[in-house]
């Protein structure tokens, strides 16, 4: 089904090298600035960890755009940047992710959807969800995925982190460690890169997965089998950078670059589709929708 006219589709699907370069620069610049602040003012390290973890998630969002060949006009540039400047630093593999993720789009919320285990468990109790987030922010989720990879077993969500080779991650992280060591802040690699990557990154990723598909329909309608979440400035900083909250729009037109999703939302709204789209007003509303309260004892 077409939700907007063909001309609007063509305009919104246009890639932009300028936008692609700006977004890649932006995600690295924010991480670099947060590291500088954390090194200079150690009292602000907890805040810096939240910002860096959010932008590590931002790398995954932009890598996702490159997996759709939507980040740069040139396919080779798109794939190189997605593989080495976005996926590699946090341990992902854009090319492997592309194969996995396109299956998600083809079979969204069906039995063949590789992401279904991430959403099928909902609703869960509030206590269960709290335990999940505690596992994330204490590094237990990271360790579980690491053990699954080492033992070559599968846990929910681990397929998204499969990679053909560890060398891109190793080389890029060695360069980062060497750079921080050269400026006399070797410890920052562990405190301001690895710590957010193994904790807050996974908490934000879990929230994103819940927001996108938990408690949505299981039919083939992209207006209802995905969810758009309205995000305020705080949520966009810490949970939903780079327009990732417009997920219905992404499933309706998956080759529209992330920086045009807000405009796509306006076009779809102008056509009246917001009346049937699955939309929540905030991430708090999403969590409330996806959880159940503790039963009252009889």
């Amino acid at each position: 089904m077409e939700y907007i006219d063909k001309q609007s589709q063509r305009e919104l699907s246009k890639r932009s090298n300028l936008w692609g370069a700006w977004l890649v620069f932006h995600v690295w610049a924010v991480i670099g600035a947060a590291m500088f602040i954390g090194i200079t003012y150690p009292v602000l390290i907890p805040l810096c960890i939240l910002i860096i973890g959010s932008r590590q998630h931002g790398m995954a969002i932009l890598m996702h755009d490159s997996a759709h060949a939507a980040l740069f006009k040139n396919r080779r540039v798109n794939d190189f940047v997605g593989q080495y400047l976005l996926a590699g630093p946090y341990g992902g593999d854009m090319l492997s992710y592309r194969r996995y993720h396109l299956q998600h789009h083809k079979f969204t919320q069906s039995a063949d959807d590789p992401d279904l285990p991430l959403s099928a468990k909902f609703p869960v109790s509030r206590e269960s969800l709290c335990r999940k987030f505690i596992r994330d922010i204490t590094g237990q989720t990271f360790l579980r995925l690491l053990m699954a990879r080492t033992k070559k077993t599968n846990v929910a969500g681990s397929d998204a982190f499969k990679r053909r080779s560890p060398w891109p991650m190793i080389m890029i992280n060695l360069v980062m460690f060497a750079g921080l060591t050269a400026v006399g802040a070797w410890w920052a690699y562990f405190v301001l890169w690895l710590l957010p990557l193994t904790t807050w990154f996974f908490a934000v990723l879990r929230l994103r997965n819940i927001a996108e598909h938990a408690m949505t329909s299981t039919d083939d309608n992209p207006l209802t089998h995905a969810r758009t979440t309205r995000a305020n400035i705080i949520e966009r900083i810490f949970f939903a950078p780079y327009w990732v909250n417009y997920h219905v729009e992404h499933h309706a037109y998956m080759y529209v670059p992330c920086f045009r999703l807000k405009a796509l939302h306006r076009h779809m709204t102008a056509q009246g589709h917001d009346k049937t789209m699955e939309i929540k007003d905030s991430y708090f509303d999403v969590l409330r929708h996806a959880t159940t309260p503790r039963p009252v004892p009889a």
Side-chain angles (χ1 to χ4, degrees):
M1 179 177 178
E2 302 297 339
Y3 303 103
I4 61 175
D5 62 88
K6 293 287 188 181
Q7 179 61 30
S8 296
Q9 290 179 43
R10 286 192 290 270
E11 289 298 317
L12 291 170
S13 296
K14 288 181 179 178
R15 280 70 168 150
S16 168
N17 291 335
L18 186 61
W19 262 106
W22 163 248
L23 291 173
V24 175
F25 170 79
H26 184 273
V27 73
W28 276 104
V30 172
I31 290 173
M35 283 188 169
F36 175 79
I37 292 170
I39 292 168
T40 308
Y41 305 103
V43 69
L44 296 177
I45 283 177
L47 175 61
C48 294
I49 287 173
L50 298 182
I51 292 173
I52 292 169
S54 169
R55 294 302 141 167
Q56 289 167 331
H57 174 236
M59 286 182 167
I61 294 168
L62 297 180
M63 181 278 293
H64 163 267
D65 248 36
S66 70
H68 284 286
L71 199 58
F72 291 92
K73 293 180 181 180
N74 183 281
R75 184 64 173 260
R76 290 185 178 180
V77 173
N78 178 88
D79 288 3
F80 178 85
V81 172
Q83 182 76 342
Y84 293 100
L85 297 185
L86 297 171
Y90 71 83
D93 185 299
M94 188 276 295
L95 298 175
S96 295
Y97 176 82
R98 174 181 284 157
R99 292 191 293 271
Y100 161 88
H101 185 65
L102 292 181
Q103 292 299 302
H104 163 66
H105 275 274
K106 184 177 181 179
F107 301 111
T108 306
Q109 290 294 85
S110 74
D112 295 318
D113 182 357
D115 279 348
L116 186 64
L118 298 173
S119 60
K121 65 186 73 172
F122 291 93
V124 299
S125 70
R126 293 171 184 171
E127 292 73 23
S128 173
L129 186 62
C130 284
R131 289 194 295 269
K132 295 178 191 301
F133 279 119
I134 288 172
R135 290 198 296 268
D136 295 335
I137 63 177
T138 57
Q140 296 178 61
T141 301
F142 165 77
L143 291 174
R144 184 184 180 194
L145 289 173
L146 183 64
M147 292 176 64
R149 179 179 291 167
T150 302
K151 297 179 180 179
K152 296 184 179 181
T153 58
N154 192 34
V155 298
S158 63
D159 285 347
F161 290 90
K162 285 184 177 179
R163 56 176 180 251
R164 298 167 306 157
S165 169
W167 285 109
M169 178 197 69
I170 292 172
M171 290 186 296
I172 294 166
N173 278 260
L174 281 175
V175 169
M176 293 173 62
F177 178 70
L180 289 167
T181 300
V183 299
W186 61 268
W187 57 269
Y189 172 78
F190 299 97
V191 176
L192 293 172
W193 178 258
L194 286 188
L195 183 57
L197 181 59
T198 57
T199 57
W200 185 244
F201 171 88
F202 284 99
V204 176
L205 192 60
R206 184 182 300 277
L207 180 58
R208 171 187 168 186
N209 287 329
I210 294 170
E212 290 179 348
H213 291 290
M215 304 292 290
T216 61
S217 69
T218 55
D219 54 24
D220 61 354
N221 183 359
L223 301 188
T224 58
H225 70 206
R227 177 182 293 110
T228 284
T229 305
R230 297 187 177 101
N232 60 37
I233 183 62
I234 299 300
E235 290 172 320
R236 292 199 299 272
I237 291 172
F238 292 104
F239 309 135
Y242 308 125
W243 306 278
V244 73
N245 53 304
Y246 293 105
H247 203 57
V248 168
E249 295 77 5
H250 173 62
H251 270 263
Y253 297 101
M254 66 178 177
Y255 293 112
V256 170
C258 65
F259 61 88
R260 299 193 196 275
L261 290 176
K262 187 175 182 179
L264 175 57
H265 175 78
R266 289 196 298 267
H267 277 72
M268 293 177 69
T269 297
Q271 297 298 317
H273 296 300
D274 58 312
K275 297 178 178 61
T276 54
M277 288 166 61
E278 171 64 28
I279 301 177
K280 287 288 182 271
D281 287 330
S282 70
Y283 281 86
F284 176 79
D285 284 346
V286 168
L287 294 180
R288 184 168 53 186
H289 178 66
T291 55
T292 57
R294 184 195 296 269
V296 177

